[in-house]
Amino acid sequence: MVERTLSIVKPDAVKAGHTGDIISMFERAGLKVAALKMLHLTPDEAKGFYIVHKERPFYGDLTKFMSEGPIVVLVLEGEDAIKMVRDIMGATNPKNAAPGTIRALFAADIERNAVHGSDSEKSAAYEIPFFFPSIEIMGL
Ligand code: CDP
Ligand code: MG
Protein backbone atom coordinates (compact mmCIF):
# COMPACT_ATOMS: atom_id res chain seq x y z
CA MET A 1 0.00 0.00 0.00
CA VAL A 2 1.27 3.50 -0.82
CA GLU A 3 1.69 5.32 2.49
CA ARG A 4 2.92 8.62 3.87
CA THR A 5 5.09 8.83 6.96
CA LEU A 6 6.67 11.63 8.97
CA SER A 7 10.41 11.68 9.46
CA ILE A 8 12.58 14.11 11.41
CA VAL A 9 16.29 14.78 11.12
CA LYS A 10 16.88 15.44 14.83
CA PRO A 11 18.96 18.34 16.24
CA ASP A 12 22.12 16.23 16.68
CA ALA A 13 22.16 15.17 13.03
CA VAL A 14 21.30 18.63 11.67
CA LYS A 15 24.12 20.15 13.75
CA ALA A 16 26.59 17.49 12.59
CA GLY A 17 25.77 18.16 8.94
CA HIS A 18 24.05 14.85 8.16
CA THR A 19 20.76 16.24 6.80
CA GLY A 20 21.65 15.66 3.16
CA ASP A 21 23.06 12.19 3.76
CA ILE A 22 19.94 11.11 5.65
CA ILE A 23 17.52 12.43 3.02
CA SER A 24 19.66 10.75 0.33
CA MET A 25 19.33 7.40 2.08
CA PHE A 26 15.53 7.70 1.94
CA GLU A 27 15.55 8.78 -1.72
CA ARG A 28 17.98 6.05 -2.75
CA ALA A 29 15.55 3.51 -1.24
CA GLY A 30 12.86 4.82 -3.59
CA LEU A 31 10.92 7.03 -1.18
CA LYS A 32 9.64 10.38 -2.48
CA VAL A 33 9.88 13.61 -0.51
CA ALA A 34 6.32 15.00 -0.43
CA ALA A 35 6.96 17.86 2.05
CA LEU A 36 10.05 19.33 3.70
CA LYS A 37 10.97 22.16 6.08
CA MET A 38 13.41 23.26 8.78
CA LEU A 39 12.23 24.63 12.10
CA HIS A 40 13.25 24.99 15.74
CA LEU A 41 10.70 23.53 18.20
CA THR A 42 9.96 25.14 21.55
CA PRO A 43 10.06 22.74 24.52
CA ASP A 44 6.24 22.81 24.65
CA GLU A 45 5.99 21.96 20.93
CA ALA A 46 8.38 19.02 21.43
CA LYS A 47 6.22 17.85 24.36
CA GLY A 48 3.17 18.00 22.12
CA PHE A 49 4.83 16.01 19.37
CA TYR A 50 5.95 13.28 21.79
CA ILE A 51 2.76 13.30 23.91
CA VAL A 52 2.46 9.48 23.60
CA HIS A 53 5.63 9.23 25.70
CA LYS A 54 4.53 11.64 28.43
CA GLU A 55 4.63 8.99 31.18
CA ARG A 56 8.04 7.63 30.16
CA PRO A 57 11.11 8.43 32.27
CA PHE A 58 12.95 9.86 29.24
CA TYR A 59 10.17 12.35 28.26
CA GLY A 60 11.78 15.42 29.87
CA ASP A 61 15.26 14.80 28.47
CA LEU A 62 13.88 13.82 25.05
CA THR A 63 11.79 16.97 24.66
CA LYS A 64 14.71 19.13 25.85
CA PHE A 65 16.95 17.49 23.25
CA MET A 66 14.36 17.88 20.47
CA SER A 67 14.10 21.61 21.19
CA GLU A 68 17.84 22.34 21.53
CA GLY A 69 18.35 23.28 17.89
CA PRO A 70 16.86 23.20 14.41
CA ILE A 71 15.32 20.06 12.96
CA VAL A 72 14.34 19.10 9.41
CA VAL A 73 10.89 17.52 9.09
CA LEU A 74 9.74 15.67 6.01
CA VAL A 75 6.84 13.67 4.68
CA LEU A 76 8.00 10.60 2.77
CA GLU A 77 5.73 8.72 0.42
CA GLY A 78 5.98 5.27 -1.14
CA GLU A 79 4.95 1.64 -1.04
CA ASP A 80 5.08 0.51 2.63
CA ALA A 81 6.74 3.84 3.49
CA ILE A 82 6.18 3.50 7.25
CA LYS A 83 8.07 0.21 7.61
CA MET A 84 10.61 1.16 4.96
CA VAL A 85 11.62 4.31 6.86
CA ARG A 86 11.82 2.36 10.14
CA ASP A 87 14.11 -0.20 8.46
CA ILE A 88 16.38 2.50 7.01
CA MET A 89 16.54 4.24 10.43
CA GLY A 90 17.63 1.18 12.41
CA ALA A 91 16.89 0.33 16.05
CA THR A 92 16.25 3.06 18.63
CA ASN A 93 19.46 2.18 20.46
CA PRO A 94 22.33 2.53 17.98
CA LYS A 95 24.11 -0.35 19.73
CA ASN A 96 21.36 -2.58 18.29
CA ALA A 97 21.05 -0.83 14.90
CA ALA A 98 21.92 -2.95 11.86
CA PRO A 99 25.06 -1.95 9.94
CA GLY A 100 24.38 0.66 7.26
CA THR A 101 21.27 2.07 8.95
CA ILE A 102 21.03 5.78 9.74
CA ARG A 103 21.33 5.19 13.47
CA ALA A 104 24.30 2.83 13.07
CA LEU A 105 26.03 5.51 11.01
CA PHE A 106 25.07 8.73 12.81
CA ALA A 107 23.52 8.14 16.27
CA ALA A 108 25.54 8.82 19.43
CA ASP A 109 23.29 7.00 21.91
CA ILE A 110 19.72 5.86 22.59
CA GLU A 111 18.51 9.48 23.02
CA ARG A 112 20.62 11.39 20.49
CA ASN A 113 19.78 9.01 17.69
CA ALA A 114 19.70 11.24 14.62
CA VAL A 115 16.29 10.48 13.18
CA HIS A 116 12.57 9.93 13.81
CA GLY A 117 10.05 7.96 11.78
CA SER A 118 6.35 7.33 12.44
CA ASP A 119 5.91 3.81 13.87
CA SER A 120 2.39 3.09 12.57
CA GLU A 121 -0.43 4.45 10.41
CA LYS A 122 -2.00 5.87 13.55
CA SER A 123 1.21 7.71 14.50
CA ALA A 124 1.65 9.04 10.96
CA ALA A 125 -1.93 10.36 11.05
CA TYR A 126 -1.05 12.41 14.16
CA GLU A 127 2.49 13.40 13.22
CA ILE A 128 2.08 14.55 9.59
CA PRO A 129 -0.60 17.21 10.29
CA PHE A 130 1.31 18.23 13.47
CA PHE A 131 3.82 19.82 11.07
CA PHE A 132 2.16 20.14 7.68
CA PRO A 133 -1.23 21.45 6.57
CA SER A 134 -2.51 19.54 3.54
CA ILE A 135 -1.65 22.38 1.11
CA GLU A 136 2.05 21.92 1.99
CA ILE A 137 2.05 18.21 1.06
CA MET A 138 2.63 17.57 -2.63
CA GLY A 139 0.43 15.15 -4.49
CA LEU A 140 3.05 13.00 -6.18
O1 CDP B 1 12.28 6.75 17.82
P1 CDP B 1 11.79 5.34 18.08
O2 CDP B 1 10.38 5.13 17.60
O3 CDP B 1 12.76 4.31 17.58
O4 CDP B 1 11.78 5.15 19.68
P2 CDP B 1 10.67 5.48 20.78
O5 CDP B 1 10.62 4.33 21.72
O6 CDP B 1 9.39 5.92 20.13
O7 CDP B 1 11.30 6.70 21.58
C1 CDP B 1 11.26 8.01 21.04
C2 CDP B 1 12.62 8.64 21.24
O8 CDP B 1 12.85 8.79 22.64
C3 CDP B 1 13.81 7.83 20.75
O9 CDP B 1 14.03 7.95 19.37
C4 CDP B 1 14.93 8.43 21.57
O10 CDP B 1 15.37 9.69 21.04
C5 CDP B 1 14.26 8.67 22.91
N1 CDP B 1 14.46 7.57 23.87
C6 CDP B 1 15.32 7.76 24.94
O11 CDP B 1 15.92 8.83 25.08
N2 CDP B 1 15.53 6.74 25.85
C7 CDP B 1 14.89 5.56 25.71
N3 CDP B 1 15.09 4.59 26.60
C8 CDP B 1 14.00 5.36 24.64
C9 CDP B 1 13.80 6.38 23.74
MG1 MG C 1 8.64 6.05 18.22
Side-chain angles (χ1 to χ4, degrees), residues 50 52-53 86 89 92 103 116-119 123 127:
Y50 277 117
V52 295
H53 291 319
R86 298 286 303 186
M89 285 164 50
T92 309
R103 284 165 164 171
H116 169 84
S118 307
D119 67 3
S123 300
E127 293 175 356

mmCIF file of all heavy atoms in Angstrom, residues 50 52-53 86 89 92 103 116-119 123 127, ligand 2:
data_model
loop_
_atom_site.group_PDB
_atom_site.id
_atom_site.type_symbol
_atom_site.label_atom_id
_atom_site.label_comp_id
_atom_site.label_asym_id
_atom_site.label_seq_id
_atom_site.Cartn_x
_atom_site.Cartn_y
_atom_site.Cartn_z
ATOM 1 N N TYR A 50 5.663 14.566 21.143
ATOM 2 C CA TYR A 50 5.951 13.279 21.792
ATOM 3 C C TYR A 50 4.971 12.959 22.920
ATOM 4 O O TYR A 50 5.327 12.217 23.852
ATOM 5 C CB TYR A 50 7.384 13.283 22.316
ATOM 6 C CG TYR A 50 8.426 12.926 21.275
ATOM 7 C CD1 TYR A 50 9.408 13.833 20.886
ATOM 8 C CD2 TYR A 50 8.444 11.644 20.687
ATOM 9 C CE1 TYR A 50 10.376 13.487 19.939
ATOM 10 C CE2 TYR A 50 9.409 11.301 19.750
ATOM 11 C CZ TYR A 50 10.365 12.222 19.384
ATOM 12 O OH TYR A 50 11.326 11.881 18.463
ATOM 13 N N VAL A 52 2.670 10.917 23.293
ATOM 14 C CA VAL A 52 2.462 9.483 23.603
ATOM 15 C C VAL A 52 3.468 8.974 24.636
ATOM 16 O O VAL A 52 3.225 7.963 25.283
ATOM 17 C CB VAL A 52 2.559 8.548 22.360
ATOM 18 C CG1 VAL A 52 1.460 8.825 21.368
ATOM 19 C CG2 VAL A 52 3.917 8.603 21.711
ATOM 20 N N HIS A 53 4.589 9.678 24.769
ATOM 21 C CA HIS A 53 5.632 9.233 25.697
ATOM 22 C C HIS A 53 5.599 9.998 27.020
ATOM 23 O O HIS A 53 6.561 9.932 27.793
ATOM 24 C CB HIS A 53 7.015 9.394 25.064
ATOM 25 C CG HIS A 53 7.289 8.450 23.934
ATOM 26 N ND1 HIS A 53 6.912 7.132 23.958
ATOM 27 C CD2 HIS A 53 7.906 8.637 22.728
ATOM 28 C CE1 HIS A 53 7.282 6.534 22.824
ATOM 29 N NE2 HIS A 53 7.878 7.442 22.057
ATOM 30 N N ARG A 86 11.349 2.957 8.880
ATOM 31 C CA ARG A 86 11.821 2.365 10.138
ATOM 32 C C ARG A 86 13.025 1.451 9.879
ATOM 33 O O ARG A 86 13.985 1.423 10.665
ATOM 34 C CB ARG A 86 10.706 1.572 10.821
ATOM 35 C CG ARG A 86 9.490 2.386 11.222
ATOM 36 C CD ARG A 86 9.690 3.261 12.411
ATOM 37 N NE ARG A 86 10.102 2.561 13.598
ATOM 38 C CZ ARG A 86 10.228 3.149 14.801
ATOM 39 N NH1 ARG A 86 9.975 4.444 14.946
ATOM 40 N NH2 ARG A 86 10.630 2.472 15.848
ATOM 41 N N MET A 89 16.091 3.572 9.197
ATOM 42 C CA MET A 89 16.538 4.239 10.431
ATOM 43 C C MET A 89 17.395 3.329 11.297
ATOM 44 O O MET A 89 18.372 3.779 11.894
ATOM 45 C CB MET A 89 15.313 4.647 11.283
ATOM 46 C CG MET A 89 14.563 5.839 10.785
ATOM 47 S SD MET A 89 12.910 5.982 11.552
ATOM 48 C CE MET A 89 13.232 5.837 13.286
ATOM 49 N N THR A 92 16.202 1.848 17.793
ATOM 50 C CA THR A 92 16.246 3.059 18.629
ATOM 51 C C THR A 92 17.615 3.239 19.276
ATOM 52 O O THR A 92 18.181 4.336 19.271
ATOM 53 C CB THR A 92 15.162 2.970 19.732
ATOM 54 O OG1 THR A 92 13.908 2.651 19.120
ATOM 55 C CG2 THR A 92 15.048 4.261 20.501
ATOM 56 N N ARG A 103 20.902 5.103 12.072
ATOM 57 C CA ARG A 103 21.332 5.190 13.472
ATOM 58 C C ARG A 103 22.678 4.509 13.692
ATOM 59 O O ARG A 103 23.475 4.971 14.518
ATOM 60 C CB ARG A 103 20.238 4.640 14.364
ATOM 61 C CG ARG A 103 19.092 5.675 14.497
ATOM 62 C CD ARG A 103 17.844 5.085 15.044
ATOM 63 N NE ARG A 103 16.894 6.088 15.508
ATOM 64 C CZ ARG A 103 15.642 5.815 15.878
ATOM 65 N NH1 ARG A 103 15.203 4.570 15.826
ATOM 66 N NH2 ARG A 103 14.832 6.769 16.284
ATOM 67 N N HIS A 116 13.891 10.437 13.377
ATOM 68 C CA HIS A 116 12.571 9.931 13.811
ATOM 69 C C HIS A 116 11.823 9.402 12.595
ATOM 70 O O HIS A 116 11.969 9.933 11.494
ATOM 71 C CB HIS A 116 11.745 11.070 14.438
ATOM 72 C CG HIS A 116 10.305 10.695 14.655
ATOM 73 N ND1 HIS A 116 9.882 10.014 15.766
ATOM 74 C CD2 HIS A 116 9.206 10.849 13.873
ATOM 75 C CE1 HIS A 116 8.577 9.781 15.658
ATOM 76 N NE2 HIS A 116 8.143 10.287 14.517
ATOM 77 N N GLY A 117 10.984 8.403 12.813
ATOM 78 C CA GLY A 117 10.050 7.955 11.776
ATOM 79 C C GLY A 117 8.778 7.459 12.435
ATOM 80 O O GLY A 117 8.850 6.765 13.463
ATOM 81 N N SER A 118 7.626 7.799 11.883
ATOM 82 C CA SER A 118 6.346 7.330 12.439
ATOM 83 C C SER A 118 6.386 5.805 12.562
ATOM 84 O O SER A 118 6.881 5.118 11.660
ATOM 85 C CB SER A 118 5.190 7.704 11.517
ATOM 86 O OG SER A 118 5.183 9.076 11.212
ATOM 87 N N ASP A 119 5.825 5.264 13.663
ATOM 88 C CA ASP A 119 5.912 3.813 13.872
ATOM 89 C C ASP A 119 4.673 3.052 13.427
ATOM 90 O O ASP A 119 4.639 1.822 13.522
ATOM 91 C CB ASP A 119 6.246 3.498 15.335
ATOM 92 C CG ASP A 119 5.127 3.874 16.298
ATOM 93 O OD1 ASP A 119 4.047 4.329 15.852
ATOM 94 O OD2 ASP A 119 5.336 3.719 17.512
ATOM 95 N N SER A 123 0.231 6.673 14.165
ATOM 96 C CA SER A 123 1.213 7.710 14.498
ATOM 97 C C SER A 123 1.384 8.686 13.346
ATOM 98 O O SER A 123 1.438 9.902 13.550
ATOM 99 C CB SER A 123 2.573 7.096 14.808
ATOM 100 O OG SER A 123 2.480 6.221 15.888
ATOM 101 N N GLU A 127 1.223 12.674 13.361
ATOM 102 C CA GLU A 127 2.485 13.401 13.221
ATOM 103 C C GLU A 127 2.563 14.240 11.937
ATOM 104 O O GLU A 127 3.160 15.323 11.946
ATOM 105 C CB GLU A 127 3.644 12.390 13.244
ATOM 106 C CG GLU A 127 3.775 11.711 14.620
ATOM 107 C CD GLU A 127 4.827 10.618 14.659
ATOM 108 O OE1 GLU A 127 5.430 10.319 13.597
ATOM 109 O OE2 GLU A 127 5.053 10.070 15.746
HETATM 110 MG MG MG B 2 8.636 6.049 18.216
#
